[in-house]
């Protein structure tokens, strides 16, 4: 009995010390993204003025390309569109693997910028919204800061006060009750999104998902506080050493196990649509969003992701 109690005590101690330690399961860089992700040539679920193309088209038109540790996805910046034709060619990638408990670390040099742009790095279940959605990086029309958001079915809310450095935009994650706004948290720094993010050379985003919580962190490129395991894409990480996240979604009033299923990782750039189009003028962009996209290909010269790597841990 004493021995078994001692073992249990040691086991609890080990769990408390190493409970946030993860080992790398996947590493994506350069051409590796093409093997691990699929181009989704689908109608945009958010009704954007885009035409998502398949991999062959994306490669042929340089909408997806790689060089060394640069992996680029972008919108077309050469074509004037017909108002009656399809939207601007762009890219939506979905991971071939699915994940439940895991950590993602994104090393991003540049993100799409410009009026009408709506870029995102996110995760979603096959049965939306019942299997949930986690938006890690998302925003529209160059409006800072970044916002990380959960979208769920009913019965998932967040406490008004919790341990995070960001600012909550809403605490009910249910898409039906919030017109799909979900429960978002804005990062505390302007350089977490858009032109300010790009001017700083980008940075690192990290998301940890467990059955007890979901956390999101951001460190700008020259942030002295970026943990070494994040910065270096280490084979083993310890999230307990990463400090207070800017977004913290605990399970106390949301059963994460029942609201979040196996997720695919998505990288995409849409234009206009349900969010960027709805606030296009309010965000200081000129005229009509769809017309702007149709007539101004040169406005999308900087509408691209440059991802150095993505590391996944489990």
């Amino acid at each position: 009995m004493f021995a078994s109690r001692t073992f249990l005590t040691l086991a609890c101690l080990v769990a408390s010390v190493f409970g946030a330690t993860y080992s790398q399961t996947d590493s994506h860089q350069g051409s590796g993204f093409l093997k691990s992700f699929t181009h989704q040539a689908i109608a945009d679920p958010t009704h954007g003025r885009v035409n998502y193309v398949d991999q062959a088209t994306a490669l042929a038109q340089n909408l997806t390309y790689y060089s060394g540790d640069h992996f680029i996805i972008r919108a077309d910046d050469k074509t004037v569109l017909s108002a009656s034709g399809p939207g601007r060619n762009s890219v939506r990638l979905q991971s071939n693997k699915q994940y439940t408990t895991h950590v993602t670390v994104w090393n991003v040099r540049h993100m799409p910028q410009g009026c009408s742009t709506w870029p995102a790095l996110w995760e979603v279940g096959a049965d939306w919204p019942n299997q949930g959605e986690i938006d890690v990086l998302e925003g529209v029309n160059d409006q800072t800061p970044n916002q990380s958001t959960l979208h769920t079915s009913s019965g998932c809310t967040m406490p008004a006060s919790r341990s995070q450095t960001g600012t909550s935009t809403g605490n009910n994650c249910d898409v039906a009750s919030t017109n799909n706004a979900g429960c978002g948290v804005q990062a505390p720094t302007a350089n977490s999104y858009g032109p300010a993010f790009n001017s700083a050379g980008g940075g690192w985003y990290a998301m940890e998902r467990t059955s007890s919580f979901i956390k999101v962190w951001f460190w700008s490129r020259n942030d002295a506080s970026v943990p070494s395991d994040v910065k270096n894409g280490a084979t083993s990480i310890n999230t307990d050493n990463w400090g207070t996240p800017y977004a913290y979604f605990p399970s106390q009033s949301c059963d994460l196990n029942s609201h979040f299923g196996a997720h695919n990782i998505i990288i995409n750039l849409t234009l206009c649509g349900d969010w960027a189009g709805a606030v296009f003028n309010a965000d200081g962009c000129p005229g009509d969003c769809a017309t702007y996209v149709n007539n101004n290909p040169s406005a999308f010269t900087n509408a691209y992701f440059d991802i150095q790597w993505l590391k996944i841990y489990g």
Side-chain angles (χ1 to χ4, degrees), residues 281-303:
N281 295 136
D283 287 342
C285 295
D288 170 74
C289 192
T291 302
Y292 180 86
V293 171
N294 292 344
N295 295 341
N296 296 285
S298 64
F300 300 96
T301 300
N302 290 312

Side-chain angles (χ1 to χ4, degrees), residues 6-163:
T6 302
F7 175 78
L8 286 172
T9 301
L10 288 172
C12 291
L13 178 62
V14 169
S16 66
V17 174
F18 297 104
T21 300
Y22 298 83
S23 297
Q24 191 176 114
T25 60
D26 300 281
S27 176
H28 307 303
Q29 187 174 61
S31 61
F33 279 96
L34 298 181
K35 301 169 186 173
S36 305
F37 284 74
T38 298
H39 284 71
Q40 292 187 295
I42 61 172
D44 179 20
T46 60
H47 313 104
R49 185 67 179 135
V50 291
N51 177 47
Y52 287 134
V53 298
D54 60 22
Q55 180 170 302
T57 304
L59 292 173
Q61 296 184 4
N62 260 6
L63 304 182
T64 302
Y65 61 94
Y66 57 88
S67 176
D69 64 359
H70 293 263
F71 180 72
I72 310 292
I73 73 164
R74 62 171 308 121
D76 166 75
D77 64 345
K78 298 179 173 61
T79 311
V80 174
L81 305 178
S82 166
S84 60
R88 186 162 298 282
N89 283 357
S90 189
V91 173
R92 174 179 165 126
L93 298 178
Q94 176 177 281
S95 67
N96 297 329
K97 288 181 67 173
Q98 293 184 317
Y99 303 90
T100 50
T101 296
H102 69 292
V103 177
T104 56
V105 180
W106 298 85
N107 183 346
V108 182
R109 294 187 179 94
H110 187 281
M111 61 173 294
Q113 68 179 69
C115 279
S116 82
T117 58
W118 179 359
L121 304 176
W122 54 296
E123 306 186 355
V124 68
D127 179 16
W128 187 92
N130 297 313
Q131 290 184 312
E133 172 183 333
I134 306 169
D135 301 320
V136 177
L137 183 158
E138 185 181 29
V140 298
N141 302 322
D142 289 348
Q143 298 301 297
T144 61
N146 181 63
Q147 182 170 309
S148 296
T149 307
L150 304 187
H151 300 263
T152 69
S153 56
S154 62
C156 178
T157 61
M158 292 296 137
S161 177
R162 53 197 199 264
S163 181

Side-chain angles (χ1 to χ4, degrees), residues 265-278:
I265 298 169
I266 308 286
I267 311 169
N268 78 287
L269 169 59
T270 189
L271 307 171
C272 301
D274 297 340
W275 185 8

Side-chain angles (χ1 to χ4, degrees), residues 122-123 128-129 131-136 138 147-153 156-159 162 169-175 178 180-185 207-210 213-216 247-251 254-256 259-260 263:
W122 54 296
E123 306 186 355
W128 187 92
Q131 290 184 312
E133 172 183 333
I134 306 169
D135 301 320
V136 177
E138 185 181 29
Q147 182 170 309
S148 296
T149 307
L150 304 187
H151 300 263
T152 69
S153 56
C156 178
T157 61
M158 292 296 137
R162 53 197 199 264
T169 61
N171 293 319
N172 188 348
C173 309
D174 176 21
V175 298
T178 62
N180 197 23
C183 53
V185 178
M207 188 280 295
E208 179 180 13
R209 172 186 166 187
T210 73
F213 60 78
I214 294 167
K215 297 179 180 179
V216 186
Y248 174 51
F249 304 101
S251 63
C254 177
D255 180 0
L256 297 179
H259 283 91
F260 291 85
H263 278 188

